[in-house]
Each structure stands twice: as C-alpha cells, then as structure tokens.
Amino acid sequence: MSITDSQRPHRPHHTVTAIVVSHDGSRWLGETLEALLRQTRPVDRVVGVDNGSRDGSAALLTGALGSRAVLTLPRSTGFGEAVAEVLDKLGPGGGQEWIWLLHDDCAPDVDALRILLEAAEADPRAAVLGPKLRDWLDRRILLEVGVTVDRTGRRNTGLEAREFDQGQYDGIRDVLSVSTAGMLIRRDVWEEVGGLDPALPLFRDDLDLCWRVRAAGYRVQNVTRAVAWHAEAATRRRRRITASGDHPRRLDRRNALFVVMANLPLRPLLWALVRNAFGSVFRTALFLVAKQPANALDEFLAFGSVFGHPIRMIKARRVRAKGRRQAYPAISRLLTPPGAGYRRLVDRAQNYLAGGGFVESEGRHHAVAASPHPQQEDGEELLTDAGVMQRVFGNPGVLLFLALALVTLIAERALTGGARLGGGALVPVIGGASDLWDLYRESHHQTGLGTDAWAPPYVAVLAVLSTVLFGKTWLAVSLLLLGCVPLAGISAYAATRSMIPGRWTRVWLASSYALLPVATGAVAAGRLGTAVVFVLLPVYAALATTVLAGERRRARRAAWGLGLLLAVGTAFAPLVYPLTAILGALAALAFPRRGVAVSMLVAFAVPVVLLFPWLAQLVADPKRLLLEAGLHQPALVDPGLPAQSLLLLSPGGPGMPPLWVTGGLIAACLLALLMRRNRMVIAVGWGVALFGVLVAILVSRTPVTSINGDVEAPAWPGVPLAFAATGMLVVAALTADRVVEFRAAGGLRRLAALGVVLVAFSTPLLAAGMWIAEGVNGPIRGTVRDVMPALAAVNSAGDERTLLLRTSPNGLLFTVLRGRTPVIGEADIPVPEGPRERVRVATAGLVSGRGGDDARVLAAHGVRFVVMTAPVDAAISAALDSQPSLARMSLSRSVGVWRLTQPIAVPVTPPGDPWHSRWLWVQAALVLVVLVLAAPGSRTESDQPAAPQDLPESRRELAPR
C-alpha cells in the first residue's frame, strides 16, 4: 500500500508513522486531520484506516491523505486490529521508528508531536508517551494526565469533576497508562510486547498495552506540555459501537477485570479474585436496590465472562508472564491507593442519595460528568471544585451542623462521659444490640411478670442502629436523643432545599427549628420518641411536598419513602401518624391531582402494614396513641400548662427556656401575614400551625394512664407543637425574599428589613445562649444508679424476680424485674391485667403489715427479693421487717433488700408461637420491599441534563495554535 510522505525537513534519527483510525466520526475527523497535517514537527508517514463508516468518514480520509494511504476494514474491526493491520502491510521506517496513534475524535495541538519527541530524546527508557487530554467542547477541562486503576479494575484519572487546566499537573510524569488517543510508542517495543490485544476491541486496551510495556522494563510517561483535545465519542455514546455485540458498560467492565487479572502476579491475584468476587455480588445487589437491573445484569455477566473462562485467562497470563513479578513493585506504586476507592464509594453514595442512582463511570472520564451548565463564565472555574475541604467547609449546611453540634456539646457537658445514661422518660441504657434483637424476637417475654404482647417496633429500629454502631446501644440512644438538635438542624436544612430558595434563609429556618423548646425539653426529660420524630418531621414535609407536586414516578417513590419513615416515627411516638394522616388527607383534597390519592394511600398504608401486630394492640387502647417511647411520669409534664406557653411553642416540663425566647419567631411569622405574595402557601403554613396548636391544647389537657396502669398524667404536647413550628417557619422563610427587596430599596425599608432580620435571628441566638448557660436542666443524667441492687442481682438464680418498690407523690409504685435492670423497650410492653392486679394487692398487704397469703402470692409469681429504693420509708421498712416470710439482707438510707424465705415457683416459659417468628420474617421482607420501592434509583433520560452538543465553529472556544 502507499502512504503520504512529508516534504518538510525532519530529524533523520526519528521516524514517525501516524495512524488515524476512523469509525463514523466525520463530525470530528476534519479537525483531527487538519491538526495532524499542521504539526510543527511533521510526521513522516500517515495512514488512515476506516472501519466501515457510513457517515462519509472514508471520503474525508481519502480527500486529506489520498486514496492509496487509506485502508478500509469491516465495521466490526476493533481499534487494535486496525492498527495491527496497518503495521502488517507497512514496512519499517528508517532510524528509530515511532507509531503515533490517533482517534478520529482526537485533535492534537500543533506542537504536540514535537514536544513528545523531545521528551523521548530526554529519556531513552521512555517507550510510550502520551499528551495531556482536554475536553473537545470546553477546552479548558482536563480529561487525562495519565490513567491508573485499582485491583478491582476501577479506572481513575486522579482528577476532580470538571477540573480546569491551570497548569497544576504540568511536567513529565511516570504513569501506569496513557490513552491510545495521541499515544506515541516505539515500534520495536510495540512488536516486542505484541501490540494491542485483539481480544480487547474497545476499552482498557491502552491500559493492557502500557502494563505490558512496563513489565518489559520500559517507562510510560505523560507529557503535559503536549496537548490534545478528545471528544470521547465512544465512551459518551455519541456513536454506535459495532466492534462488539456487548453493551459498552458490560464490555468495559469485562475488559477491566480481564486486564487486572491477566497482569497481576500470583499473590496479588489471589486477593483480587476474592475481592472481585464479593465486590461483584455486592455491586449487583446495590444496582438491584437502586432499580438499575440493566447495570446489575452487566456487572453479573461481566464477572461471569471473565471468571467463567479459566482457560482463556490462563493463556492470557502465560503471554504476559515475562517480567510480571519483577516489575510489579514499581507498578503497584502507580495503582490507585486504597483511600481513593473509599472516596469514590462516598461520591457514589452521595449521587445515589441525590437521586442519580449508583451510576458507574468505568471507561469514562469522571472529570467531564454531564453538567446542566457546561458553559461557564470566566472565573467560575475557581468555584467549580476547590477540593474536599472547600466543598465541606464552604457548605452552609455543614457549618450549621458543626455550630449546632458545638452548642450541643457545651450545653450537654454534664451528660458526657457518664457510665449509664438515663433518667426522666429514659430507662437506664444497658445491654447491647443482641439484647434488643432478643427482646424483639421473643414471642413470650419473661420480663416483669411475663407477657405475650408484642415488643414495640422502635426496639427493632434501635437494634439496627446499634448493630451499625458496633453493638453499642448507648451510642445509638445518645446519637438520637443527645444529638437530636444538630440532626434536626441538618434535616431541616436539607429537606427545605426544594421549598426555600435562599441557603442562608434555610440556615435561619433550620437553626430556629433545631433549637425550639421541644428539642431542648425532649433532651432534658429523656424523651427519645419526641427526639426521633423531631428529626424526621422536616423530611416528612419534604416527601409530602413531592407526593403532592412531584412528577408521577418521583411522587410514588416519595410516597413509599414517606410511609417507611412514618412507620419509624410512629414506632417511637404513635401520635405522629394520625396528625400526618389528617394533614395528608386535607392536602390531597385541597390540591387534587392525578395519582395523588393513590400515593397518599400508599404512604399511610405502609406504617399500618409494617407495624400491624403492635399497632392493633395500641388501637385497642386509643389513649396510648398519646404516649411515646419510654416512661410516662407526672413529673415530666406541666398539668396546668398556660395557653400562652403553647402559643409560644413551649410544651412545658423540664428543660424549658423562658417564653420570650421564641417571641422573635412568632413575630416574624405574624409579619408574613402582611405580605401579598405566596398567599396560598402562607395560608397553608398557618393552617398547619393552628392545627398543631389546637392538637397540643387537647393533648396537654388529656390525662393518660401509663402502659401498665400505675400512674396517670397529662400527655406531653411536644409532637403537635413541632408540627405547628414547622408550619410557622416555612411561612416566615418563604417571605424572606421580600426582606431582601426591602434591604435593596434603601431608606426606611432597609431599616425595616434589618429589624425583621434581627427579630427573626433572635430566636436561635437566644435559645442557643440560654441552653449553653443553663445546660440540660432536667432529670436526665449521664450516670444513673442501677435500679437493681447488686446484692439482689448476684443472688438471683435463673428466672427469679425482684419486686422493686419506690415512693412517689401519687403513692407507692412497684415494678417487677427479672434479675437485672430492664433494657430499653421492656417498660413499654404491657403486662396482663390479672397477674399484675394480684401482685398489686399482695404488695399493698406487705407494706401495710397485713398478714395472710401476700408472700405466698408473690412466691407463686416467682418473686424472690423485695427491694425498697431511695428514699427508704421507715414505716414501710418496719412493715417489711415484721413479715415472717421476709428476711432482711440489707438496709440503708438509699436501699433496702429483703428475701422471701419460702420456696418460690419459677414460672415456666411457654412454647413460642410459630406465627410470631413467621410474621417477623414477613415484616423483614416487607421492609426490604419498601426500601427498594422508596430508593431513588436511576434517572431516566428525560431526567438527566442534556449532554452538551457540538458547537458551531464560530461559537467554539479554540485553543491557541
């Protein structure tokens, strides 16, 4: 075949043969050929190869190079096969011959070849050199300055997303691989290592070639002074791929695994085999959860294609055996460090939570991910991505979370470092995740007097969180209760992203919400249920907004998510379900839209199904809907809560700041009524606020008996007041744009705007200041005494029980324990009325000094010890001493312990109900199904930002020539 010969002088000891491979690339090929022929160091020979193009690419090649310098091959020919075909037909050139490989969508700078050859002369061991690659469209964006890979085949360019070239990587660098787009390789080295593997028609063929070159003892370098612009037409799916019948994603993943497995030495290979096997299974499961079955299938088939053909792998490894082990220490230093893999995992999780799914980018340059704003103004590159520190600490949401966390740590200084958290509504936190799982799985609970009632579902939620936190129940409770203020702040900030336009307005809203009296009161009183609902409430609002106004599929996913989170909130504080259901029904009626009714039905049916057995026994006693997780005690509520307290969002009880702290928030919300814009939204917000206040009034006036009927006190109105505050805050935040307009207007309006801002910010600032100054002012303590005396615990055998007596303003109260302090959740399991009444009568007889069969009744229920906690009443201790069936073991001002002298009947545990365990499996399966249905999944094509199209020549930014 013939070639084109350059007529311009060149250095005789170097011969450069350029090979341009084209496949349906006419939209880029013209500029590529022009750039090639304008090189300041001309090539010696040029050959064009057209792989069955149907868009006129062959004619462009012929017009630029001549018909005798163009080779035509079938459409199924791969890049490596095309280059090998040219070299088979083309004899060697004179001197030291170099092969310059160019894609049809890769235009080199006019000085690129000259700079590459200068670098080659400077280092005789350099056998492969590649230019710095920039984006074809936005020519400031970096694509590659060398490529590496990890041991699972994950490609890594080392660049941030849409990173601009500002000379930060300039220089000549040793790299693991360079792209075949612009690769300059010595022909003798090409022939020594066997060239591009024809088994890799696309994707990762360059990595495999460069790995073999390094194993042969040569160097691979990226020369950043040499520049080329690459359109990445194949990886960005801008043209049809015909070299393989597999999907590009599957082909890329298969080739990635193949190259790594074929080139690793034996010992690293064994670890990579295990890692890739488990990793592929895990990734397949993640893709299925993310509703990307095509990606899951590609991952599974790619893995099977490589590991299901061991003979092919053995042959490939045999070909690559020479120098593999000797060169690996140097190659391993160029592989992706482990930390980069963890960062990529975090980025994928962020993308998934943002609704993008577990999108993969193997074979793509992640630095040019699609952006809704591909064209940026001058100087915006400084704001695009300044690194992890800038992204984290430049985010107002992160700063808000850190500030609230600092306030919380200072305010809760008395609770940190304690041995056992407890007090108020919170039972002392003992045990670990396994204890919670056992409690939730039991069909018959031996706790107390024994019961077949269902354990509250919040036990399962705490068990899951405790398991994630290495089995530490105390850590899970501390995170949810003591950390509810910063968690609520970041929850409110993130949830209002689509509702409130200004970031700093959202900061005010989130900080005001997080520091409401409801939150500080929940912490002070140990109200774990209110704390969890308080964190989840902004998310409920965001999901409900999506259900009402979102696109149909997004609305349905939001409905499943709302249902799942509503089930979690209902498990901790059941009152949240009827409140949300009423507001949801009213919203569906007020804003009718196709599909809304079904989505609302899904959202409110999910909690009923997931919580069904426990919810059924709850509905049997409707007043229990007003209770929440933990103990119900009169000392934790204000029975005479004044109306002004409720109107100022203060639910009463311990830990309440002065009423005037929330005055600024109420004033800002009242000022919103004067605004003429967003009248409908303001009306809805105030409707929610008034609804919450009215419910709070009813709740605070309704006496409720504890689960086991020992005390009666009004319910705490924290949850409905949290609803009211949410409505008020949204109303005030939506009118913030008017404040900005007033500020810009100047004069008196500017002063008025400043006054409004000061009044609004007074609530979070005053609340934070008061909380820091006073600390956590309530019954909760970082270290509480074990309610079970050590003397009784040590001497208890098997299922022997202890009768615990304590005095209160309402009289003498009793609790039956089984050899230890109860774990969290046991106090919320109802005990049958019959046994409890019999023990109550017997207890009254003992403390009154009445003779008879009282001790025998206790012994029949397995009670071995009677314990009187502080303060020990002298009359009661004397009465217990007078009982012949009781023997005193210890008596002090803080505790008294007596032992029953007569034999006791240890209760026999009845056989478990098989339907109980079966329902738990069904419940777990239902939770998994709801999780999958609620998952964001992958965006459809219509959801994705439009890929940037090629710009006309008059509008394209050209690089300096």
Side-chain angles (χ1 to χ4, degrees), residues 795-846:
N795 288 279
S796 294
D799 290 329
E800 291 182 346
R801 294 177 172 132
T802 298
L803 179 66
L804 188 70
L805 306 177
R806 63 188 186 278
T807 58
S808 74
N810 294 333
L812 185 69
L813 304 178
F814 76 92
T815 303
V816 178
L817 304 179
R818 189 186 62 170
R820 57 165 174 76
T821 299
V823 300
I824 190 168
E826 284 186 346
D828 289 323
I829 302 177
V831 176
E833 183 63 26
R836 181 169 183 81
E837 180 61 21
R838 289 193 291 272
V839 171
R840 186 191 67 78
V841 172
T843 301
L846 280 180

Side-chain angles (χ1 to χ4, degrees), residues 922-936:
V922 172
Q923 191 179 57
L926 290 174
V927 170
L928 181 60
V929 169
V930 175
L931 277 171
V932 172
L933 293 174

Side-chain angles (χ1 to χ4, degrees), residues 22 41 66 146 304 308 402 472 481 584 591 627 648 667 678 698 722 727 745 936 961:
S22 176
R41 193 294 186 189
L402 294 176
K472 308 297 184 183
L481 178 61
F591 305 100
L627 300 177
L648 289 170
N678 300 321
L698 293 175
R961 299 299 189 189

Side-chain angles (χ1 to χ4, degrees), residues 54 83 158 289 318 331 458 515 554 608 664 683 742 755 788 810 882 957:
R54 297 174 180 174
V83 174
V289 169
R318 186 177 300 151
I331 292 176
Y458 76 80
L515 292 165
R554 287 186 66 239
V608 174
F742 279 19
M788 185 71 177
N810 294 333
S882 67
E957 179 186 347

